[in-house]
Amino acid sequence: MKALISVDMEGISGIVHSSETNPERYDYQRGRELMTAEANAVIAGVLDAEPTAEVLVADAHGTFRNLLPERLDRRARLVRGKPRALNMLAGLDGETDAALFVGYHVRAGEGPGVLAHTMNGEILDVRVTTRAPGDDVRGTGRAVGEAVRVTVRSLGEIGLNAAMAGHHGVPVVLLSGDDAACAEASDLLPGTVTVPVKEALGMAAAVTLHPEEARDRLRRAAADAVTRRTEIPPLTLTGPLEVEVDLASPHTIDLAVLVPGVTRARGARTVAFTAPDYGTAYRLVLLLAQLATIRPA
């Protein structure tokens, strides 16, 4: 059995402020320690259930250099640094049996949620539209076989990464974070085990579990989740996909439309493209997020 544990930072128990997640701020070292301890709890839970499992841990916050390698459970291997293929899911492949998302947060514009954002804060929303054969709509005059079901999903990091795991046939069996992140996951990923480690009161405030209590719950939940992995369906978004991305900066939009296939869409903040499959859509969204880090000369 092979498991990939993707670990973000904003959804870790005890963390409520950017001073704990930003390498340039005073409380970052404490945040790293809390993050590493929760990763270890999930590693332990996976191995409680599957003692011979191969466990990869993807550092998935900011620089992707946050987890303390010397303090990580030695039974796991660490994926660290950037840029890299699959971003927050580096290490995922068709041989992976289960993905576990630790310390995740709610998408931009939702909440209240602790440190809510999508990617780097420059992406305001990602809407993915899928079209599939559906039931006839009474009064349309179309035959059943001609009917089309249109599904539009607004995705943050939880949805974007879960769909990429699903593109490889991998279910997300566990997610931890604040209560808003867990609610987002439950709505999008039926069957996924969720572990709320804090109750969001706002962008930088929460009622949080004691870190040791959070780790105990995570260990038990991870063991349960991997045991039930075959019962949890992957999130599959079948192409072609129509994607709209709302961006915060006009400069980023100017750069985005230089990418072949990306066009300006409705309003002043939106770009759009069509992707043949979800893997292509995911890579394009990552590229847009990277373009957002380029400042005007």
Side-chain angles (χ1 to χ4, degrees):
M1 185 258 179
K2 180 179 177 181
L4 176 73
I5 304 172
S6 173
V7 190
D8 206 349
M9 202 170 193
E10 289 87 355
I12 298 296
S13 61
I15 287 179
V16 298
H17 194 274
S18 60
S19 67
E20 299 160 318
T21 64
N22 186 332
E24 298 178 358
R25 302 294 295 275
Y26 74 97
D27 222 6
Y28 170 67
Q29 185 61 30
R30 175 173 168 274
R32 299 179 76 188
E33 294 169 357
L34 292 170
M35 180 186 183
T36 304
E38 286 202 4
N40 281 338
V42 176
I43 295 167
V46 170
L47 294 171
D48 287 344
E50 296 280 351
T52 62
E54 176 186 358
V55 180
L56 270 69
V57 178
D59 190 322
H61 173 72
T63 61
F64 296 170
R65 300 192 311 272
N66 308 278
L67 291 166
L68 299 168
E70 69 277 13
R71 295 196 188 179
L72 197 70
D73 190 316
R74 64 188 300 168
R75 296 172 293 176
R77 290 185 296 149
L78 175 62
V79 187
R80 186 168 198 263
K82 67 191 311 184
R84 65 196 192 194
L86 296 187
N87 203 48
M88 295 174 74
L89 297 180
L92 182 84
D93 59 28
E95 301 300 315
T96 306
D97 297 291
L100 301 91
F101 293 174
V102 179
Y104 270 55
H105 51 81
V106 73
R107 68 182 186 267
E110 293 297 310
V114 175
L115 298 171
H117 67 280
T118 298
M119 298 296 182
N120 53 16
E122 289 292 324
I123 293 181
L124 304 177
D125 194 18
V126 179
R127 294 178 297 281
V128 178
T129 301
T130 57
R131 300 177 184 274
D135 298 328
D136 186 25
V137 179
R138 183 174 299 177
T140 64
R142 292 184 297 176
V144 172
E146 297 173 339
V148 174
R149 181 187 302 113
V150 177
T151 302
V152 182
R153 291 181 171 89
S154 184
L155 303 178
E157 291 174 34
I158 293 171
L160 290 167
N161 289 320
M164 193 61 197
H167 183 66
H168 286 80
V170 180
V172 177
V173 300
L174 176 136
L175 180 136
S176 72
D178 66 15
D179 56 330
C182 290
E184 182 177 321
S186 295
D187 181 59
L188 192 62
L189 308 170
T192 296
V193 176
T194 60
V195 184
V197 298
K198 53 194 173 190
E199 178 187 350
L201 300 178
M203 187 68 171
V207 179
T208 180
L209 294 178
H210 188 283
E212 291 181 3
E213 174 63 22
R215 293 166 205 159
D216 287 346
R217 296 187 187 189
L218 283 167
R219 182 168 183 168
R220 292 193 300 269
D224 177 52
V226 296
T227 299
R228 298 198 291 111
R229 63 186 180 275
T230 59
E231 304 169 17
I232 300 172
L235 175 61
T236 303
L237 301 183
T238 304
L241 305 168
E242 299 167 17
V243 183
E244 290 187 340
V245 182
D246 294 344
L247 298 165
S249 169
H251 178 67
T252 305
I253 295 174
D254 292 341
L255 292 173
V257 296
L258 298 177
V259 178
V262 177
T263 61
R264 295 180 188 268
R266 58 186 180 187
R269 293 184 178 272
T270 306
V271 297
F273 60 86
T274 299
D277 55 58
Y278 186 76
T280 302
Y282 184 80
R283 289 191 294 272
L284 272 170
V285 171
L286 295 182
L287 176 59
L288 296 179
Q290 188 62 35
L291 290 177
T293 66
I294 300 174
R295 301 270 68 87

